[in-house]
Amino acid sequence: MNKTFALAVGLCLTAVGNAQTPRLGQNSIDEVVAAMTLEEKVNMVMGDIRDYAVPPTPAPGIPVRETPDIAKLLKDMATHQNTPLQLMTAYSQGRVMGASGDGYSLERLGITPMVYADGPSGVRITPVRPQYPGQEFYCTAFPTSTLSASWNPALVERMTTALGEEVKEYGVDVLLAPAINIIRNPLGGRSFEYFSEDPYLAGKMASAYVKGVQSNGVGVSVKHFAINNQETNRNGVNVFVSERAAREIYLKAFEIVVKEAQPWTLMSSYNRINGVFASENDWLLNKVLRDEWGFKGIVMTDWWAEEDGARQVSAGNDLLMPGTQHQYDEIIAAVKSGRMDERLLDKAVANILRITMMSPTFKGYEYSNKPDLAAHAQVARETATEGMVLLENNAALPLGKKVRKVALFGVSSYDTIVGGSGSGDVNKKYKVSLDEGLANAGYKLLENLGTYYRGYIASETEILKQGANYGWSKPVVQDKALEKSMVEAAAKESDIAILTIGRMAGEGGDRKVEKGDWYLTDAELENLELVCEEFHARNKKVVVLLNMGNIMDLSGWNKLPDAILHTWLPGQEAGNAIADVLTGKVNPSGKLPFTVAAKYEDYPSAANFPFSNGTEAEVCYDEDVFVGYRHFDTFGVKPLYPFGYGLSYTQFQYSDLAVTPAGDGFDVNLTVRNTGKTAGKESVQIYVSAPSHPHTPKPAKELKAFAKTGLLKPGASEVLHMHVSKGQLASWNTLDGGWVVDNGSYTFMAGASSGNIILKETVEL
Ligand code: BGC
């Protein structure tokens, strides 16, 4: 424990206990709870400092928190009954400046406060702190959650083991991550933080994420529970969703994580579900999460979800983040009037204490403030490469030996977007843009293009800075149309063109079906056409890189360049990671975690996503369970790139699919052979089609298992072993109100994507 902190605690906490007073860790949780006054219990379910809390604001809803004034708090001590608690909280905030919040403490019962910091791409804390001159607290910006495109849970676990070390070594107890809401629509502002349109992929990757972080003895908060799939009116939107779609699609990933990885905490979402706020939703938090899934941790609200405090706690939402005076008063009044059973409050406090006992702060862990950032940068780089998805490749990649001189186009090539905006942003020490990454890899870049772009970016950034206050969203400089003569000269002088198209998105807003967002701007399209024309006229290739958290419209232009590589938001090592894939140092093995539609209107949610249904107060999930590929495959809508799609620099052959009854379901084995000339990895997906049912329309197929080979040398093969339990084959039967595995034929399909099924085997149940 930091010395100043320890000293302050020792000096300031006027312990009122005596020898009989129980202490957390020495007595049972029940005894500790029983020793609390009503006021102390209510304090315990409040986060942050009530008196210093900023009132809730509309979306994006995140006020900037002030550094607590410790001197003022000390002065307040004499007059304020609860000051010792507040002081502890204030100190923990001062201890980890920029953390999103803390819990209360109660020294007389030995209860320490937990520190909560965002997630998910890294730890979000203040990197430079006035009270620690000369010290730095930077964190690694890892690739964002779309790292699910790696289809490699072991890799994700490795990355988050490193991330968890930063959580622990910076004195944080709980990382507010991962964010695992279903990517229902590509315009969702926070899609970059989320994992997939498919709950099984999201659940498996998120379980790996949680296991990695928690292996450090710190916790996570899996968020945002639940059915929070848009940013527009996020604090109030009422989502109408069937119980089947909720169970099979929107809650499924959470169910997998809770059962497989036992996250310490979960964060309830802001929205309403069929009329009831998630944080006040007894069905969601008590019945489904705790009674059915057996969740034992803390449920906390999302920040400033200031609904009725008594209703929230009664519904199973243990911690109000940050609690407000209003909520405090509400709970006290509700208990005193009998509207709320005090035992519900006791339960919430007990949940908080159980997790508190596991926390590094409670254990007095002496954190170093010196995580191994150099090693973590390497992990970030490796993880980023493995998620990149090669969408097109007409013999342009990997860059051949003859390619030495590169013409690099696009603002994002020189100012690569490495993460999204909002609470998922990370205060990193540096970022490597693509121009630096290519230079590091030994390529020569056309200098005049570099000079042009750097100058343009600098002057445009100045203009943007003087403009509106963008709050959380970070505006990025837009490309402008290039002079033909400049492109012509570049085509003559270089061996290849690389052009990056970037899109920024983040918390507090959804993207738009407009030029400059979903569509290319006129300038971007002109530049792309011009570059292709000039380079192709000289038999030189053009590679396009996508630098965004989700996707944009690609139809109409995706066949113009010779290759398209989706690089996502690859974290601080972006440029080096992209260069690794372009050069072939790493063979791309990422595959799409969502479907790329031929046109926006083809997405099943297009008709009822904000900006399209004319109302922001509510949204009806009319597509029901037919989200993503479940829609495209079932209704025969041809996507541009199917779910699970991604090319490699080599080819693979699948054989010997065997589905055999084993344990609680089926073992699924198959052999993958590298039949090409380059070493590579392949992700195999197992989809299952279920028998039809008169009242429960089934998707054409659903992902039930996946596995990735190791690095296979040319000619080498590997047998992949997977398992599908019978329980996984169930659908939610609305009439019976339960999970049902229907009798009939189930076809197991091994595919390289949902659109490329290679082997099949049918079993009877
Ligand atoms: C976000 C959460 C985040 C919290 C704390 C909220 O605005 O929705 O994801 O963890 O702020 O920063």
Side-chain angles (χ1 to χ4, degrees), residues 180 220-227 243 246-247 250-269 273 278-301 312-319 347 351 354-355 732 739:
I180 67 169
V220 297
S221 195
V222 181
K223 63 192 188 184
H224 310 87
F225 192 59
I227 322 186
E243 182 162 5
R247 298 271 190 173
Y250 296 100
L251 302 185
K252 196 60 175 180
F254 289 96
E255 180 180 356
I256 294 172
V257 182
V258 165
K259 290 181 175 169
E260 287 190 4
Q262 288 86 40
W264 288 15
T265 85
L266 240 75
M267 188 188 293
S268 56
S269 54
I273 302 164
S279 62
E280 294 183 352
N281 204 313
D282 180 69
W283 170 78
L284 183 72
L285 305 180
N286 278 332
K287 183 168 182 297
V288 176
L289 176 65
R290 294 189 200 277
D291 297 349
E292 290 183 23
W293 302 348
F295 179 70
K296 297 271 183 290
I298 300 172
V299 176
M300 69 180 77
T301 61
Q312 287 174 310
V313 174
S314 305
N317 198 117
D318 311 302
L319 182 60
K347 232 162 124 179
N351 288 337
R354 200 172 312 114
I355 300 298
W732 183 261
W739 292 104

Side-chain angles (χ1 to χ4, degrees), residues 60-62 65 99-101 116-120 124 175-177 179 190 193-194 221 223-224 228 231 234 267-268 270 300-304 422-424 472 507:
I62 314 297
R65 288 158 52 100
S100 299
Y116 304 96
D118 276 307
R124 191 169 65 91
L175 180 76
L176 303 172
R190 296 185 80 168
E193 294 183 67
Y194 301 157
S221 195
K223 63 192 188 184
H224 310 87
N228 176 195
E231 287 298 281
R234 68 173 184 168
M267 188 188 293
S268 56
Y270 293 119
M300 69 180 77
T301 61
D302 199 344
W303 266 232
W304 310 105
S423 58
W472 281 73
E507 186 173 346

Side-chain angles (χ1 to χ4, degrees), residues 594-634:
F594 49 73
T595 310
V596 177
K599 53 182 194 302
Y600 175 70
E601 295 70 30
D602 286 348
Y603 286 104
S605 56
N608 48 37
F609 194 73
F611 315 119
S612 52
N613 65 356
T615 163
E616 295 184 356
E618 56 190 44
V619 53
C620 288
Y621 285 16
D622 289 336
E623 70 280 16
D624 207 55
V625 298
F626 296 95
V627 177
Y629 68 88
R630 287 168 168 79
H631 164 82
F632 288 85
D633 291 358
T634 309

Side-chain angles (χ1 to χ4, degrees), residues 410-725:
V411 164
S412 305
S413 290
Y414 298 87
D415 188 9
T416 305
I417 307 170
V418 308
S421 59
S423 58
D425 199 5
V426 182
N427 294 313
K428 58 213 161 283
K429 177 111 197 219
Y430 65 86
K431 75 168 182 184
V432 181
S433 280
L434 180 59
D435 56 337
E436 299 164 82
L438 285 171
N440 292 344
Y443 289 90
K444 228 176 140 22
L445 306 180
L446 291 191
E447 262 171 40
N448 64 328
L449 285 184
T451 310
Y452 160 74
Y453 274 107
R454 283 186 205 101
Y456 174 66
I457 292 167
S459 61
E460 289 294 298
T461 308
E462 270 316 304
I463 296 170
L464 285 173
K465 271 192 203 151
Q466 290 155 17
N469 177 4
Y470 288 92
W472 281 73
S473 70
K474 282 192 199 152
V476 291
V477 174
Q478 297 248 347
D479 275 285
K480 76 169 184 194
L482 298 167
E483 295 289 334
K484 185 172 163 60
S485 56
M486 186 159 94
V487 179
E488 202 177 347
K492 279 187 200 148
E493 287 165 33
S494 61
D495 304 317
I496 195 164
I498 298 179
L499 184 154
T500 309
I501 298 166
R503 290 289 182 270
M504 182 48 133
E507 186 173 346
D510 291 310
R511 293 174 56 203
K512 303 225 165 40
V513 196
E514 287 175 357
K515 286 182 181 174
D517 200 342
W518 178 250
Y519 297 110
L520 291 176
T521 60
D522 292 341
E524 285 171 331
L525 184 58
E526 273 173 39
N527 291 348
L528 176 65
E529 287 174 343
L530 182 60
V531 169
C532 288
E533 193 183 303
E534 294 297 336
F535 279 75
H536 288 164
R538 291 166 181 82
N539 280 326
K540 293 176 184 176
K541 302 279 187 188
V542 176
V543 175
V544 166
L545 304 177
L546 302 179
N547 178 206
M548 57 197 70
N550 198 278
I551 196 69
M552 64 184 298
D553 178 63
L554 302 177
S555 40
W557 64 265
N558 63 323
K559 298 291 176 190
L560 284 183
D562 304 284
I564 303 181
L565 178 71
H566 199 330
T567 68
W568 308 107
L569 303 177
Q572 67 183 42
E573 284 287 327
N576 289 331
I578 299 170
D580 287 342
V581 175
L582 293 178
T583 58
K585 186 175 160 200
V586 176
N587 186 348
S589 62
K591 293 193 171 185
L592 291 172
F594 49 73
T595 310
V596 177
K599 53 182 194 302
Y600 175 70
E601 295 70 30
D602 286 348
Y603 286 104
S605 56
N608 48 37
F609 194 73
F611 315 119
S612 52
N613 65 356
T615 163
E616 295 184 356
E618 56 190 44
V619 53
C620 288
Y621 285 16
D622 289 336
E623 70 280 16
D624 207 55
V625 298
F626 296 95
V627 177
Y629 68 88
R630 287 168 168 79
H631 164 82
F632 288 85
D633 291 358
T634 309
F635 303 110
V637 184
K638 200 171 165 1
L640 193 64
Y641 301 107
F643 172 79
Y645 168 90
L647 301 172
S648 164
Y649 296 153
T650 188
Q651 296 81 41
F652 299 96
Q653 186 189 60
Y654 296 8
S655 64
D656 305 322
L657 173 67
V659 181
T660 40
D664 64 350
F666 299 92
D667 280 345
V668 183
N669 297 332
L670 89 162
T671 306
V672 178
R673 176 180 299 279
N674 182 349
T675 55
K677 296 194 173 68
T678 311
K681 298 180 184 177
E682 171 71 344
S683 295
V684 174
Q685 301 144 42
I686 302 295
Y687 298 89
V688 179
S689 74
S692 59
H693 183 280
H695 309 298
T696 312
K698 308 272 179 75
K701 59 179 180 295
E702 297 182 277
L703 183 75
K704 297 296 175 190
F706 61 89
K708 191 163 188 171
T709 67
L711 188 69
L712 292 180
K713 294 211 171 99
S717 59
E718 183 178 332
V719 179
L720 294 177
H721 303 280
M722 289 162 273
H723 184 80
V724 176
S725 71

